[in-house]
Amino acid sequence: MDGGAVRRVLDAEVERARVARPDGRPRVVDVGGGSGSWAVPLAAVGCAVTVVDVSPNALAALERRAREAEVHALVTPVQGDADQLPEVVADLIDSGGADLVLGHGLLEVVDDPARAAASLAAVAAPGAAVSVLASSRHAAVLWHILAGRLEEARAVLTDPDGRYGPDDTLRRRLDGPTVTALLEETRRLRVEVVQGDGLLEAWLPHAVRDGGATALRGAAELEDLAAGVPALREVAARLHVLARAVTPRGPRPGREE
């Protein structure tokens, strides 16, 4: 899995679920998981991972990647989107829910981020974790400034969705308070961790990138130190927010409990 600080948080959640599960096999749902950049490593450490994605091509790539890693028995690809999530993983919800739910790169592309957040919460078992990675508005502002594109920087800063114009490939960019509000407004989730991911990737000079293992190790250590600093995490490439499911699920739409 990419991302040192994110990886450590997820590793802790996996271990927590492993201890709690009678069979020692955490159950993970990865929404918009694409070709398996998170799902396959999670399966490699013993998780049963359901990947929900709208793209059949991405799911086919996921299956190939899982077979190459010899974890295909632990990875279940399901075609669907965030809005359909409670229906497409209904059996998992009915059996108690997931121990860990991933929505990485999801909230910035869906039609309705509040509805997507509610779907993530609906899949999580009581006490489970929901992990969100989202593109940062403030990082994009600085990127455009450094590139000399001041009009685009102004647009990202002032646009309600953090977009630089009609050619923007993302529906929105977010900041820490916005992601926190989206998750906590589901009334099922309480945010426990807000940190940056990829803080140095846009700002690291080439001299450091090409400086060998020692320089890269120093950069990784600095990234870890900076990830949780509020003033710095907002200019990381991505924001990582982890929330805990603290209230029971309500009835799933279309079903009686």
Side-chain angles (χ1 to χ4, degrees):
M1 290 182 287
D2 297 329
V6 177
R7 183 177 63 248
R8 281 194 298 277
V9 169
L10 297 189
D11 284 348
E13 292 301 323
V14 167
E15 187 57 30
R16 181 178 184 274
R18 195 192 313 280
V19 171
R21 279 275 171 201
D23 63 357
R25 190 175 300 289
R27 301 196 297 186
V28 179
V29 173
D30 184 358
V31 187
S35 58
S37 60
W38 292 94
V40 170
L42 284 166
V45 296
C47 297
V49 188
T50 300
V51 179
V52 180
D53 200 289
V54 295
S55 168
N57 291 335
L59 293 176
L62 164 69
E63 290 190 87
R64 289 193 298 272
R65 187 171 183 174
R67 288 188 178 279
E68 289 170 0
E70 299 182 346
V71 296
H72 55 280
L74 293 175
V75 177
T76 302
V78 179
Q79 188 171 1
D81 61 24
D83 289 348
Q84 300 170 317
L85 188 60
E87 287 71 46
V88 299
V89 295
D91 291 345
L92 187 148
I93 294 175
D94 291 341
S95 65
D99 303 302
L100 175 62
V101 183
L102 306 184
H104 291 180
L106 178 71
L107 296 183
E108 57 265 65
V109 299
V110 293
D111 292 335
D112 186 341
R115 184 172 178 180
S119 293
L120 297 176
V123 175
V130 173
S131 173
V132 169
L133 271 174
S135 296
S136 167
R137 175 200 290 262
H138 297 127
V141 172
L142 292 179
W143 289 342
H144 285 295
I145 290 172
L146 290 174
R149 297 193 291 266
L150 300 188
E151 287 302 316
E152 286 87 345
R154 179 184 177 89
V156 172
L157 187 60
T158 59
D159 183 81
D161 292 320
R163 305 181 76 240
Y164 61 75
D167 295 330
D168 200 330
T169 58
L170 295 181
R171 290 181 179 269
R172 66 192 59 82
R173 292 176 180 83
L174 302 107
D175 55 31
T178 301
V179 179
T180 295
L182 283 168
L183 296 177
E184 294 196 335
E185 285 170 4
T186 66
R187 301 183 183 276
R188 282 210 68 232
L189 301 173
R190 182 181 64 234
V191 168
E192 295 185 352
V193 175
V194 182
Q195 60 182 352
D197 178 56
L199 174 62
L200 300 184
E201 66 184 44
W203 323 119
L204 204 61
H206 288 292
V208 177
R209 296 179 190 275
D210 301 334
T214 301
L216 291 176
R217 185 163 54 249
E221 291 171 356
L222 179 58
E223 170 86 25
D224 289 344
L225 285 171
V229 177
L232 295 176
R233 71 191 181 204
E234 291 289 341
V235 295
R238 294 164 296 278
L239 289 161
H240 179 229
V241 180
L242 186 101
R244 184 82 51 200
V246 294
T247 61
R249 289 187 302 271
R252 185 153 47 81
R255 290 177 66 95
E256 296 181 358
E257 298 293 329

